[in-house]
Amino acid sequence: GAVVSQHPSRVICKSGTSVKIECRSLDFQATTMFWYRQFPKQSLMLMATSNEGSKATYEQGVEKDKFLINHASLTLSTLTVTSAHPEDSSFYICSANREGASPYNEQFFGPGTRLTVL
Amino acid sequence: AQSVTQPDIHITVSEGASLELRCNYSYGATPYLFWYVQSPGQGLQLLLKYFSGDTLVQGIKGFEAEFKRSQSSFNLRKPSVHWSDAAEYFCAVGSDSSYKLIFGSGTRLLVRP
């Protein structure tokens, strides 16, 4: 149990296009999901916290108009990278918090999405 | 501000040898501490965590970690490494107020046959 999936696992797009990444909790309901960005050989950096039915909370320095987050259901959060540019190329990872549990005890990570912008 | 330092970018050990991965944190109060492992193409898997109590915590896959407040450290150990342990290991710290995780830069473990 407690599986989080991400789709797509890898995407290549042209500069200026928008890309949507899905994060799904497959066998549990997630009230909170987190989006991270990971550069090669670097740490995971939290981008935003997504709560079901409300607006996401973005970390300082993250452009909310560029990284649109929607958490419309208890099993799905989406991250849309709008007007993507080569500097947006990165590994994007989501995690989901099981409903009713402390995030620290029940936070599960997806396998990540590799975005390459040409 | 919270921060996590993993001073070793790469570590290579022989299979069957012992392992210690270093982690130092900066946090004003008692931190919530975690170790995760990431294999290629897979999500992060929680190895163990420390919230309070016994400073030596046991995790999955034979890993353990010791919280040392005086040294602001939470080093991960394993007495005998297996080839399947080769992966990227991340130390993380969290606060009780925001539930955010701050990750270290990771240590890549290579295992020699």
Side-chain angles (χ1 to χ4, degrees), chain A residues 34 36 38 41-44 46 49 59 91 93 102-105 107 109-111, chain B residues 32 34 36 38 41-44 49 51 90 94-96 99-101 103-105:
Chain A
F34 302 87
Y36 295 84
Q38 184 180 25
K41 303 185 187 303
Q42 293 190 31
S43 176
L44 282 77
L46 180 65
T49 303
E59 294 300 298
F91 195 54
I93 301 173
S102 160
Y104 289 152
N105 284 316
Q107 186 171 154
F109 285 80
Chain B
Y32 295 83
F34 307 80
Y36 286 88
Q38 184 182 36
Q42 298 186 27
L44 276 72
K49 59 183 182 285
F51 289 178
F90 291 95
S95 74
D96 57 357
Y99 299 118
K100 299 175 187 176
L101 291 176
F103 285 85
S105 54

Side-chain angles (χ1 to χ4, degrees), chain A residues 2-6 38 44 91-95 107-113, chain B residues 36-47 61 87-88 90 103:
Chain A
V3 177
V4 176
S5 71
Q6 284 185 238
Q38 184 180 25
L44 282 77
F91 195 54
Y92 293 88
I93 301 173
C94 74
S95 68
Q107 186 171 154
F108 304 99
F109 285 80
T113 296
Chain B
Y36 286 88
V37 60
Q38 184 182 36
S39 298
Q42 298 186 27
L44 276 72
Q45 181 181 23
L46 179 65
L47 288 175
K61 304 184 178 185
E88 187 91 21
F90 291 95
F103 285 85

Side-chain angles (χ1 to χ4, degrees), chain A residues 78-92:
Chain A
T78 60
L79 168 68
T80 301
V81 183
T82 63
S83 187
H85 292 287
E87 57 266 29
D88 299 322
S89 298
S90 191
F91 195 54
Y92 293 88

Side-chain angles (χ1 to χ4, degrees), chain B residues 11-52:
Chain B
I11 281 188
T12 302
V13 299
S14 297
E15 189 168 15
S18 63
L19 170 71
E20 182 170 33
L21 302 182
R22 296 184 291 167
C23 172
N24 292 95
Y25 67 89
S26 174
Y27 186 63
T30 299
Y32 295 83
L33 295 163
F34 307 80
W35 274 100
Y36 286 88
V37 60
Q38 184 182 36
S39 298
Q42 298 186 27
L44 276 72
Q45 181 181 23
L46 179 65
L47 288 175
L48 47 79
K49 59 183 182 285
Y50 171 78
F51 289 178
S52 65

Side-chain angles (χ1 to χ4, degrees), chain B residues 4-113:
Chain B
V4 179
T5 301
Q6 293 180 248
D8 303 305
I9 298 174
H10 296 101
I11 281 188
T12 302
V13 299
S14 297
E15 189 168 15
S18 63
L19 170 71
E20 182 170 33
L21 302 182
R22 296 184 291 167
C23 172
N24 292 95
Y25 67 89
S26 174
Y27 186 63
T30 299
Y32 295 83
L33 295 163
F34 307 80
W35 274 100
Y36 286 88
V37 60
Q38 184 182 36
S39 298
Q42 298 186 27
L44 276 72
Q45 181 181 23
L46 179 65
L47 288 175
L48 47 79
K49 59 183 182 285
Y50 171 78
F51 289 178
S52 65
D54 192 347
T55 57
L56 183 64
V57 293
Q58 302 296 321
I60 62 172
K61 304 184 178 185
F63 285 93
E64 66 177 27
E66 186 171 12
F67 170 59
K68 293 186 177 180
R69 183 189 301 276
S70 62
Q71 299 177 20
S72 297
S73 69
F74 188 57
N75 294 347
L76 181 71
R77 301 194 294 251
K78 187 170 185 177
S80 178
V81 170
H82 188 264
W83 64 267
S84 61
D85 293 324
E88 187 91 21
Y89 291 80
F90 291 95
C91 181
V93 64
S95 74
D96 57 357
S97 60
S98 65
Y99 299 118
K100 299 175 187 176
L101 291 176
I102 307 299
F103 285 85
S105 54
T107 298
R108 179 164 295 279
L109 173 63
L110 304 174
V111 180
R112 281 193 297 256

